[in-house]
Amino acid sequence: MTANELRSKYIEFFKSKNHAEISGQSLIPENDPSVLFTTAGMHPLVPYLLGEKHPAGTRLTDYQKCIRTGDIDEVGDPSHLTCFEMLGNWSLGDYFKKESISFSYEFLTSPKWLGLDPRKISVTVFAGDENAPRDEEAAGYWKENGMPEDKIAYLPASDNWWAAGPTGPCGPDTEIFYWVGEGLPPAGSNKGTDSANWMEIWNNVFMQYNRVDEKTLVPLPKKNVDTGMGLERTNCILQGKTSVYLTEVFQPIIEKVENLSSYKYGSDSEKDKSVRIIADHSRAAVFIIGDQKGISPSNVGAGYVLRRLIRRAVRHGMKLGIEKSFLADIASAVIDNFKCAYPELEANSAKIKSELTAEEEKFRLTLKKGEAEFQKLLPNLMKNPKKIISGKVAYNLYETYGYPLELTQELGAENGFTVDIDGFKEAERKHQEASKSADAGQAKGGLAEQSDVATKYHTATHLLQQALVNVLGDQVAQKGSNINNERMRFDFTFERPMTKEEIQKVEEIVNQKIKEDLPVTMEIKTLEEAKAEGARALFANKYGEQVKVYTIGKDARNDWFSKEVCGGPHVQHTAQIGDFKIQKEQSSSAGVRRIRAVISGGLPLDPQ
């Protein structure tokens, strides 16, 4: 079974169980400053898991592209990935543990669907602690479906408990594993007794509590189910492969690397690692740049992660002897492989290739500058009788000039030097701590918290969008926004800096609409109906059948100021927003401007 077939079968199965297929969302989270990328299939659904009504109903299913950057340095082994796909299904106050477990087991083992050997499946459930009891309910439903007692492992909260944060929705989960060892698993073998030979393929989260404080859990009136299956891992298991890189998800990319480098994958363990890094990082870069809210390489935030992925891929291409720019060629293989599931990649093909080539050429120039700087330092370094390059010097070459540690080691070795690796790691650690402190200041709040202030900012982005169109023209289109409890950031397409007069005019329009105290109303419509009424549908390549349409200013004559397809939440009337002030207007990337604005005061939101 191919990945495309697995993706289709999953959606088909859950549609047969009365789940509505919804669209996977952008890799760039909307109005959530707590993360740089969409990290899981449930991420775009947080508002609905916290109580918002979803226009498609209470049973949902989709596939979602994800990026996780916490273990970039681990990528290169046979299993770690930066970019991956999640297959998901959700119950929003509808069914709970019994149906969720039954659906999962049927899809995995039924010959009509995946037909996996039940003897090679084991599960984990929550073992219980001082706050919540052992999840005998989930274990009981597994047994009803035929799971032997010795294939059920009871593990602690660190393994089998999900929480949205220190407070809020939370609950136990059950994780599903498949045996990847030789033959059949021995009696008594499960994830608790043998972690090496059991690979996780599915996680079912049961949100049944609200955490009030550290020691207080209150049952939720509406219980939700959130599940996620890793497409690449499951695909690997279905094909009996030992690595995700041996499946058709990655093989066309690897074949392109082989052609460019004249290296045959599987010949050398170190070079194989480089091939895997190029395959994963180039795929991730293509997905990020080609996203419906695609970003460009930069020195901050998500753009910095993208730059790091591209540069790491280039470095490993150089290790394989690829001396010319090559990522655009790799991108062609990625786009061809994924354009059916993600048509935005083909639509943005030219942009993807030009961005990759520009960044690759810039990095190759950076490497030349770093080498020149090293040569400048060499006379002083030669005075050191121990022939050791300090970690501080090596890290400065990396941080200031982008010169990688391993290249400093190579250049040093050519001149009889070693590098103080521990000192480099210490300098890196101090830099990361400083960055995390800065990030912590930026990441307060966020729409995931559903705070009143963030909600006010969210409605303000709708007013700002329409005011920009009124002042600058229809060429303005939103490219993304970022909200926390202190400010809003709004990116939009425009080719030049705004004049002071234009900025002042936009600010005046927004404040006038706030002063008019316009009503904010929501209706559920089809996407076609919404567009026919003039609603903006930002990033809408695959909305679900039913969408939420938020209108600001609708009156008896059907006059309105703003109408957008949006997930919400919003204020009930604009006077609740308060005073609006633009602090800065600047460039974000080529052809994209960024406004930073703040609000203050305003009326309290109506109780829900």
Side-chain angles (χ1 to χ4, degrees):
M1 187 182 295
T2 66
N4 286 338
E5 290 168 338
L6 171 58
R7 198 186 292 114
S8 296
K9 271 188 176 289
Y10 186 92
I11 299 298
E12 181 189 351
F13 174 81
F14 280 100
K15 284 172 77 171
S16 77
K17 303 297 183 184
N18 299 316
H19 290 62
E21 182 184 1
I22 59 173
S23 165
Q25 298 298 302
S26 168
L27 274 175
I28 315 302
E30 181 72 8
N31 298 326
D32 185 354
S34 61
V35 290
L36 296 175
F37 295 102
T38 296
T39 59
M42 60 80 65
H43 194 162
L45 288 163
V46 165
Y48 307 106
L49 294 168
L50 294 176
E52 280 275 316
K53 287 187 177 180
H54 197 287
T58 58
R59 295 188 179 200
L60 311 172
T61 186
D62 76 0
Y63 58 91
Q64 174 70 49
K65 50 189 174 180
C66 305
I67 297 282
R68 287 186 187 167
T69 59
D71 55 2
I72 285 178
D73 293 327
E74 302 300 318
V75 170
D77 68 12
S79 61
H80 277 86
L81 296 173
T82 307
C83 177
F84 60 95
E85 292 185 68
M86 290 293 281
L87 304 169
N89 65 280
W90 293 270
S91 166
L92 305 177
D94 192 322
Y95 61 82
F96 202 46
K97 295 180 185 180
K98 180 176 183 177
E99 294 87 347
S100 176
I101 287 170
S102 176
F103 290 159
S104 299
Y105 198 66
E106 180 184 352
F107 181 68
L108 288 170
T109 61
S110 168
K112 181 180 177 181
W113 302 106
L114 299 193
L116 291 174
D117 188 341
R119 296 173 298 175
K120 291 188 174 185
I121 295 175
S122 74
V123 299
T124 61
V125 297
F126 177 53
D129 58 21
E130 66 276 13
N131 295 318
R134 176 161 141 153
D135 197 355
E136 296 288 3
E137 185 184 8
Y141 290 134
W142 277 118
K143 292 172 189 174
E144 282 184 15
N145 280 276
M147 186 68 62
E149 178 74 50
D150 68 352
K151 290 289 188 296
I152 302 173
Y154 296 85
L155 298 183
S158 56
D159 294 286
N160 283 86
W161 187 269
W162 180 90
T167 60
C170 58
D173 65 15
T174 183
E175 297 182 355
I176 307 172
F177 297 82
Y178 196 76
W179 176 257
V180 292
E182 292 292 323
L184 292 173
S189 177
N190 56 47
K191 180 65 177 178
T193 62
D194 179 1
S195 61
N197 288 307
W198 290 98
M199 180 186 285
E200 182 190 346
I201 55 173
W202 210 337
N203 184 13
N204 297 25
V205 175
F206 305 125
M207 298 181 201
Q208 64 187 99
Y209 298 106
N210 180 44
R211 184 176 290 283
V212 180
D213 56 42
E214 192 176 330
K215 295 184 178 180
T216 311
L217 292 175
V218 178
L220 285 170
K222 278 192 174 181
K223 298 175 173 62
N224 299 324
V225 177
D226 157 40
T227 84
M229 169 186 272
L231 180 136
E232 291 86 356
R233 284 184 176 185
T234 308
N235 185 49
C236 178
I237 284 169
L238 289 168
Q239 295 183 13
K241 306 287 188 184
T242 55
S243 165
V244 294
Y245 292 98
L246 296 176
T247 68
E248 85 289 351
V249 171
F250 284 100
Q251 278 300 297
I253 307 171
I254 288 174
E255 286 170 11
K256 183 74 78 170
V257 176
E258 289 177 328
N259 292 337
L260 289 164
S261 66
S262 300
Y263 168 72
K264 182 67 178 173
Y265 184 66
S267 308
D268 176 273
S269 59
E270 239 353 89
K271 288 184 177 179
D272 281 356
K273 181 177 179 180
S274 290
V275 173
R276 289 192 290 264
I277 287 170
I278 294 167
D280 170 84
H281 287 10
S282 59
R283 182 170 83 130
V286 167
F287 270 73
I288 293 169
I289 299 170
D291 187 80
Q292 52 266 55
K293 289 166 59 181
I295 59 171
S296 302
S298 70
N299 285 327
V300 294
Y304 175 73
V305 174
L306 172 60
R307 171 163 284 166
R308 188 178 170 200
L309 290 167
I310 293 171
R311 292 186 168 192
R312 194 164 186 244
V314 173
R315 272 171 30 218
H316 283 275
M318 294 168 73
K319 283 188 173 186
L320 294 177
I322 306 175
E323 294 300 330
K324 63 172 186 173
S325 294
F326 68 95
L327 288 181
D329 286 339
I330 303 289
S332 295
V334 178
I335 293 166
D336 286 345
N337 208 13
F338 292 96
K339 63 187 178 185
C340 291
Y342 301 101
E344 64 269 21
L345 299 182
E346 187 170 39
N348 294 320
S349 175
K351 177 190 173 187
I352 292 167
K353 292 174 183 178
S354 65
E355 293 265 15
L356 287 173
T357 300
E359 182 63 23
E360 184 170 2
E361 289 175 352
K362 187 186 295 183
F363 182 48
R364 289 179 183 273
L365 186 60
T366 294
L367 292 180
K368 287 182 182 178
K369 287 181 179 177
E371 188 166 346
E373 186 63 24
F374 180 88
Q375 295 300 332
K376 285 183 192 175
L377 294 170
L378 197 55
N380 277 332
L381 293 172
M382 296 297 287
K383 296 174 184 176
N384 181 345
K386 293 184 179 179
K387 288 292 188 91
I388 297 175
I389 299 172
S390 74
K392 189 175 181 181
V393 167
Y395 188 73
N396 187 57
L397 282 168
Y398 169 70
E399 181 60 28
T400 307
Y401 300 98
Y403 204 71
L405 173 62
E406 56 264 37
L407 294 187
T408 300
Q409 288 176 288
E410 287 178 21
L411 273 180
E414 289 172 9
N415 292 277
F417 286 89
T418 57
V419 177
D420 178 7
I421 305 298
D422 290 338
F424 179 92
K425 289 178 179 176
E426 177 64 17
E428 184 177 43
R429 184 185 65 78
K430 287 180 179 177
H431 176 80
Q432 287 173 343
E433 282 181 4
S435 298
K436 283 178 182 175
S437 297
D439 288 344
Q442 289 183 339
K444 295 173 186 172
L447 202 58
E449 288 184 346
Q450 300 289 288
S451 74
D452 286 359
V453 177
T455 298
K456 291 180 179 185
Y457 271 120
H458 192 193
T459 306
T461 64
H462 284 220
L463 294 176
L464 175 59
Q465 162 84 353
Q466 188 58 49
L468 285 166
V469 170
N470 289 1
V471 173
L472 302 178
D474 289 334
Q475 70 267 43
V476 169
Q478 182 180 343
K479 286 293 287 180
S481 63
N482 183 282
I483 288 170
N484 62 33
N485 286 335
E486 278 77 41
R487 57 97 183 114
M488 63 178 279
R489 235 174 40 209
F490 186 88
D491 292 354
F492 61 99
T493 53
F494 199 59
E495 289 297 331
R496 60 167 175 82
M498 292 173 66
T499 65
K500 287 183 180 179
E501 292 75 19
E502 287 170 337
I503 293 171
Q504 184 178 351
K505 183 64 177 171
V506 166
E507 191 178 280
E508 286 173 355
I509 291 173
V510 173
N511 279 313
Q512 179 61 33
K513 296 305 171 185
I514 291 171
K515 187 178 178 181
E516 289 174 13
D517 199 15
L518 302 174
V520 181
T521 56
M522 188 276 286
E523 297 174 284
I524 293 178
K525 299 178 178 291
T526 66
L527 180 60
E528 291 71 26
E529 288 171 340
K531 286 183 173 179
E533 291 179 0
R536 276 193 186 81
L538 303 172
F539 324 122
N541 60 331
K542 290 192 299 180
Y543 273 102
E545 275 294 305
Q546 300 288 314
V547 296
K548 288 183 177 181
V549 182
Y550 281 89
T551 303
I552 301 176
K554 186 174 182 179
D555 60 20
R557 295 168 300 166
N558 208 30
D559 287 342
W560 46 267
F561 177 71
S562 165
K563 188 186 286 283
E564 289 192 25
V565 172
C566 177
H570 287 281
V571 302
Q572 292 84 19
H573 48 101
T574 57
Q576 293 172 319
I577 296 172
D579 295 324
F580 176 85
K581 178 67 178 174
I582 294 176
Q583 291 185 320
K584 187 183 289 186
E585 190 272 351
Q586 64 190 117
S587 172
S588 172
S589 60
V592 178
R593 306 298 297 175
R594 170 170 291 173
I595 281 178
R596 183 186 175 105
V598 294
I599 56 175
S600 58
L603 300 175
L605 300 195
D606 300 345
Q608 295 295 314

